[in-house]
Amino acid sequence: MTVTKKRGFFSRIVAIIEGTRRWVFNILFVIFVGVVLTALFTSVTVSVPDGAVLIVTPEGVVVDQITAVDALTQLSSSGLPTETLLSDLIETVDLATEDPRIEVILLQLDELKHIGLSKTLELSESISRFRDSGKTVVATASHYNQDQYLLASFADQIFVHNMGGVGIEGFAVIRNYFLDAINKLKIRFHVFKVGSFKSAIEPLLRNDMSDAAKESNKAWLDQLWAVYSDTLIARRGISAEKLDFYVNHIDDVMAKVNGDAAQAALDYGLVDGIVSRPALRSMLIERVGEDKDGAYKHIFYRDYLALNQNLRPAKPAGVGVIVASGNIVDGTQPAGTIGGDSLASLIRQARRDNDVKAVVLRIDSGGGSAFASEVIRAELAQLQEAGKPLVVSMGSMAASGGYWIAAGADEIWATPATLTGSIGIFGAFPTVDEMLSGLGISTDGIGTSAVAGKLRPDIPLDPILERAIQSGIEHGYRRFIGIVADGRNKLVEQVEPIAEGRVWSGVDAQQLGLVDQLGGLKQAVASAAALAGLSDTSSRVLRLPLTPEEELMQLLLGSGMVKQVLQSSSPLLSTLNSVLPAWSSMLQLRDSRGVYAFCIMCVAP
């Protein structure tokens, strides 16, 4: 006998929802497969017209290494580029310098959010070589912020929209301070540090910036501002007094032109013309000619770079470049964060690779975990012991833990605007027993020793542990000093006065012996080749092997059609990406012992 049980209303609703969910994901899968097949079997022809304009459009933040994101984010509209590789920009301009088909570079800077002084100086060297070859660089933006304008200053002509202007305000370090808030919450931070200038934890202990921090910050801020302003004065041919008045008396400047910022920029010689977009198009058509679509002959830099990379024959390079960008964190981490274990593994790979004769470590980091920094430093030492020269190229910053891993290099290069030093370490441990007591919560217990169970945030920090932690911090500081002294061939007594957590510009760091030479990655690579006895100064970026997921994504995204079609025809992917959990865990700045060599103040202008 068969018994049929009638399903209830809610059971039927659940079944409908489950069925709908399966259908939706099946449809999405079919769409995905169709798009991928279409993209893989569809070729888009890109060519470089004779006498063309190369349009260079940096997007988002210019970085040394693209931050890794999960596959779904890459395929959805939320994965649109927000970072641009500095090396891509430099390589593009260098290729165009030797390419007779390119006559003009057009810097379109509206989408550039940040490049920084140091990276701008590196890119400017390639732009200068392009100009020296007899070609023209034109810069345009609706409105220039301070960052965009420095890059634009290396152009032959700078144009601004009639609704725009040029904003220059100088450099500053502004922070929030939380002492009163912490006291109101009845939280106590136990801070352990060495060095008068190690101000990373000041916001937890004060309501304002200390005199020592002001002294340290003003020194490097003034140095970098001098580099910035001197660059504008030289490039635009204006006086220091005129630039100073424009910056410090912008209210008077604007009043004289009835609030017309574009006219003010023109009057002060910061731009060469106020030009609408149609007018700029007409100017470029007159210069290079018109294409079949009625626009000036042009090619976008990403297409140009991809075309040249595809045509270029692969050849071995003796200098391997390892990029270390982001906070230094324990363990294995994706690109954009420096994992102690993952970077150490990459260094071992370089040591074992017989084709790699020398290594350039490109550092762009304010530091992080002292333990992870030491793991990396030890691996670099083994690389040198194997007979391979190690040259460090500092990007915008290589401070604290970033300097920890740099100090032992055979040679250190920095730009004048690099932030480095910050030789010091700290630790912090919060206790909330007073806050809990105010809520009527007590904590009590018993242990087998004087310190058993005492390292808890809900009880007062035991004086025994407090003294022990401070002792460990002081030992770590002495070790840091010793690493710098050994690496830079100095006495400990010579390092101590320039340590104590103080931050230095590249210019000052060279004078103090913390840096050997001023220059960018290109010069560092050439120096590494010379140290290895190589006549060929070509290099290649070293990377860890890709995971199967990464290989698949690289294959799919290698054809721009995949991403373009998915973004336009599958908006559901963007919605799914926002509701599904992230494929990778949130990165946190953490050290196995809570000891940090980190420069929070090092936000490079």
Side-chain angles (χ1 to χ4, degrees):
M1 178 178 176
T2 301
V3 178
T4 303
K5 185 177 180 181
K6 187 176 182 180
R7 291 194 298 172
F9 172 76
F10 288 107
S11 297
R12 292 196 297 272
I13 292 295
V14 170
I16 292 171
I17 293 174
E18 179 65 17
T20 303
R21 183 187 66 81
R22 290 177 180 175
W23 272 103
V24 168
F25 276 92
N26 286 340
I27 292 171
L28 284 174
F29 179 75
V30 171
I31 294 174
F32 176 79
V33 172
V35 169
V36 169
L37 291 175
T38 301
L40 291 178
F41 292 100
T42 302
S43 60
V44 178
T45 303
V46 177
S47 61
V48 183
D50 288 330
V53 173
L54 176 62
I55 302 176
V56 178
T57 55
E59 297 172 285
V61 179
V62 176
V63 296
D64 284 314
Q65 186 178 57
I66 297 295
T67 303
V69 294
D70 60 87
L72 191 59
T73 300
Q74 291 185 56
L75 291 174
S76 69
S77 59
S78 61
L80 288 172
T82 55
E83 294 178 329
T84 299
L85 276 175
L86 174 64
S87 57
D88 282 354
L89 297 175
I90 291 174
E91 184 178 1
T92 298
V93 177
D94 286 345
L95 287 168
T97 301
E98 305 298 329
D99 192 337
R101 298 169 298 178
I102 302 295
E103 287 193 11
V104 177
I105 283 181
L106 177 63
L107 296 173
Q108 286 187 343
L109 302 178
D110 285 314
E111 299 302 318
L112 174 63
K113 290 184 174 62
H114 180 69
I115 180 172
L117 181 53
S118 178
K119 291 183 175 65
T120 299
L121 293 178
E122 288 194 71
L123 178 56
S124 73
E125 294 179 3
S126 293
I127 294 174
S128 296
R129 286 192 292 271
F130 182 88
R131 289 198 326 269
D132 292 343
S133 70
K135 302 180 181 185
T136 302
V137 181
V138 177
T140 179
S142 300
H143 178 90
Y144 294 96
N145 64 28
Q146 182 167 277
D147 217 33
Q148 295 166 340
Y149 185 71
L150 180 64
L151 180 56
S153 72
F154 291 96
D156 297 287
Q157 294 176 297
I158 304 175
F159 297 116
V160 68
H161 193 273
N162 64 304
M163 295 296 291
V166 176
I168 304 175
E169 62 179 32
F171 300 141
V173 173
I174 308 294
R175 307 176 72 181
N176 294 119
Y177 291 80
F178 304 99
L179 178 60
D180 283 349
I182 289 170
N183 288 340
K184 289 178 181 178
L185 293 171
K186 296 184 178 180
I187 300 173
R188 184 181 178 191
F189 272 92
H190 304 267
V191 174
F192 312 91
K193 71 185 182 81
V194 183
S196 303
F197 297 96
K198 199 67 187 175
S199 57
I201 34 67
E202 275 195 359
L204 304 177
L205 305 176
R206 301 177 58 93
N207 287 318
D208 58 2
M209 187 179 291
S210 69
D211 290 339
K214 287 179 179 178
E215 175 190 345
S216 176
N217 292 328
K218 191 172 189 311
W220 65 262
L221 283 170
D222 286 346
Q223 184 77 60
L224 268 57
W225 176 242
V227 172
Y228 184 97
S229 55
D230 288 349
T231 300
L232 296 192
I233 291 166
R235 286 295 309 144
R236 298 302 302 171
I238 60 177
S239 67
E241 293 76 18
K242 196 170 186 179
L243 178 62
D244 179 77
F245 190 86
Y246 183 88
V247 174
N248 290 295
H249 302 280
I250 190 63
D251 54 340
D252 293 334
V253 171
M254 292 292 286
K256 289 179 182 178
V257 291
N258 297 317
D260 188 339
Q263 187 62 47
L266 183 62
D267 290 347
Y268 275 77
L270 299 177
V271 299
D272 298 294
I274 301 171
V275 180
S276 66
R277 291 175 180 177
L280 180 62
R281 284 196 296 269
S282 298
M283 289 171 57
L284 292 171
I285 288 174
E286 185 177 347
R287 170 66 190 268
V288 303
E290 191 174 8
D291 64 14
K292 59 183 178 59
D293 297 319
Y296 53 87
K297 293 188 292 183
H298 69 276
I299 184 170
F300 287 96
Y301 90 96
R302 290 188 186 276
D303 293 332
Y304 179 76
L305 183 60
L307 180 65
N308 279 277
Q309 288 175 336
N310 290 336
L311 296 175
R312 186 187 308 149
K315 61 177 182 178
V319 178
V321 176
I322 295 177
V323 179
S325 178
N327 292 335
I328 300 176
V329 181
D330 289 353
T332 299
Q333 303 295 339
T337 300
I338 304 171
D341 291 341
S342 47
L343 185 56
S345 177
L346 186 53
I347 296 166
R348 283 196 300 275
Q349 175 181 302
R351 174 164 55 87
R352 295 167 179 166
D353 189 337
N354 293 329
D355 292 330
V356 175
K357 308 301 182 184
V359 169
V360 173
L361 180 64
R362 172 69 171 194
I363 303 174
D364 193 4
S365 173
S369 163
F371 178 81
S373 299
E374 176 58 20
V375 168
I376 295 165
R377 187 206 63 80
E379 204 65 55
L380 290 170
Q382 270 209 311
L383 176 85
Q384 292 170 284
E385 289 169 7
K388 298 192 176 185
L390 171 65
V391 175
V392 163
S393 169
M394 294 180 170
S396 296
M397 55 184 166
S400 215
Y403 194 79
W404 188 308
I405 66 177
D410 297 295
E411 212 170 73
I412 299 177
W413 289 72
T415 75
T418 296
L419 296 184
T420 188
S422 189
I423 301 167
I425 65 175
F426 70 92
F429 185 78
T431 53
V432 295
D433 53 292
E434 291 184 12
M435 180 177 68
L436 295 177
S437 178
L439 297 172
I441 301 173
S442 300
T443 306
D444 196 12
I446 191 169
T448 60
S449 70
V451 295
K454 294 293 182 68
L455 198 62
R456 294 171 54 105
D458 53 356
I459 59 176
L461 183 61
D462 190 281
I464 296 176
L465 290 173
E466 192 167 9
R467 290 191 295 269
I469 294 171
Q470 180 63 37
S471 178
I473 293 292
E474 291 171 1
H475 170 76
Y477 181 66
R478 289 193 298 271
R479 178 166 179 76
F480 198 169
I481 293 285
I483 287 170
V484 175
D486 290 343
R488 305 308 299 159
N489 295 316
K490 293 178 178 288
L491 298 174
V492 168
E493 292 77 13
Q494 292 176 300
V495 176
E496 285 175 339
I498 58 177
E500 294 194 328
R502 185 156 186 169
V503 178
W504 306 99
S505 70
V507 172
D508 288 339
Q510 185 193 28
Q511 294 174 352
L512 295 169
L514 295 176
V515 164
D516 295 302
Q517 302 287 344
L518 295 181
L521 179 60
K522 186 180 289 289
Q523 290 89 345
V525 168
S527 181
L531 289 174
L534 302 174
S535 57
D536 184 4
T537 60
S538 61
S539 64
R540 59 188 170 100
V541 177
L542 304 179
R543 298 182 177 88
L544 289 172
L546 297 177
T547 65
E549 180 198 55
E550 290 169 337
E551 288 183 350
L552 175 62
M553 292 310 304
Q554 190 173 81
L555 173 65
L556 299 181
L557 295 175
S559 169
M561 283 288 293
V562 177
K563 191 168 185 179
Q564 180 181 351
V565 177
L566 279 169
Q567 289 171 356
S568 61
S569 65
S570 302
L572 280 175
L573 282 175
S574 215
T575 304
L576 286 171
N577 185 60
S578 66
V579 298
L580 291 176
W583 287 18
S584 58
S585 60
M586 186 76 76
L587 298 177
Q588 296 179 349
L589 186 66
R590 59 187 182 276
D591 180 271
S592 58
R593 297 190 306 149
V595 178
Y596 300 96
F598 187 55
C599 182
I600 295 176
M601 303 297 281
C602 296
V603 180

